[in-house]
């Protein structure tokens, strides 16, 4: 049941689809729900960043991705490459940078 309260709270949440085998239909459903409920963002695997960004371009719903997901067990060089590749597609900022020792809550604007 949708209410004004539902929409107000939805703006505080990410709507997520991180299954490694997510289909285009599942991503389209995620995008549709994000638009309908006005979520703050959607979180998708890097493969879907460009597609989701294009579909959400006329909204204020942001697109978020993960790097080194789900275990973070890749090398730093692999994570850097994955982050750069995602940023070159459509992302405009990196919000949390994390190594095994540190986690920095800062945003780096790229546009």
């Amino acid at each position: 049941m949708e209410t004004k309260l539902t929409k107000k709270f939805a703006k505080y949440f990410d709507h997520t689809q991180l299954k490694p085998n997510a289909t285009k239909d599942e991503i389209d459903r995620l995008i549709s729900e994000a638009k309908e409920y006005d979520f703050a963002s959607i979180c998708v695997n890097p493969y879907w960043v460009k597609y989701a960004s294009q579909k959400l371009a006329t909204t204020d719903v942001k697109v978020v991705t993960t790097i080194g997901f789900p275990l973070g067990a890749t090398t730093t060089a692999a994570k850097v490459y994955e982050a750069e590749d995602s940023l070159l597609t459509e992302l405009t900022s990196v919000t949390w940078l994390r190594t095994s020792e540190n986690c920095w809550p800062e945003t780096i604007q790229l546009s």
Side-chain angles (χ1 to χ4, degrees):
M1 180 172 138
E2 184 179 326
T3 65
K4 286 184 180 181
L5 189 60
T6 304
K7 285 220 172 202
K8 180 179 178 182
F9 282 112
K11 208 54 173 164
Y12 290 95
F13 293 99
D14 297 331
H15 196 27
T16 303
Q17 175 52 273
L18 293 172
K19 291 189 321 186
N21 59 341
T23 65
K24 183 176 177 289
D25 287 343
E26 290 171 319
I27 299 301
D28 284 337
R29 185 171 45 251
L30 182 81
I31 291 166
S32 176
E33 291 168 353
K35 288 178 179 180
E36 178 181 351
Y37 294 103
D38 198 27
F39 285 106
S41 63
I42 64 165
C43 185
V44 294
N45 285 310
Y47 177 83
W48 295 106
V49 167
K50 185 173 186 172
Y51 178 78
S53 295
Q54 290 170 344
K55 293 289 188 178
L56 292 168
T58 60
T59 73
D60 66 343
V61 177
K62 298 192 181 329
V63 176
V64 177
T65 195
T66 59
I67 303 300
F69 183 80
L71 302 175
T74 55
T75 65
T76 299
K79 290 175 190 167
V80 167
Y81 175 81
E82 190 176 357
E84 288 175 345
D85 186 56
S86 293
L87 293 169
L88 290 173
T89 56
E90 296 291 330
L91 293 182
T92 59
S93 66
V94 175
T95 303
W96 284 87
L97 302 175
R98 180 178 174 171
T99 67
S100 59
E101 299 85 33
N102 299 305
C103 194
W104 299 279
E106 69 181 72
T107 298
I108 301 168
Q109 284 302 111
L110 302 168
S111 58

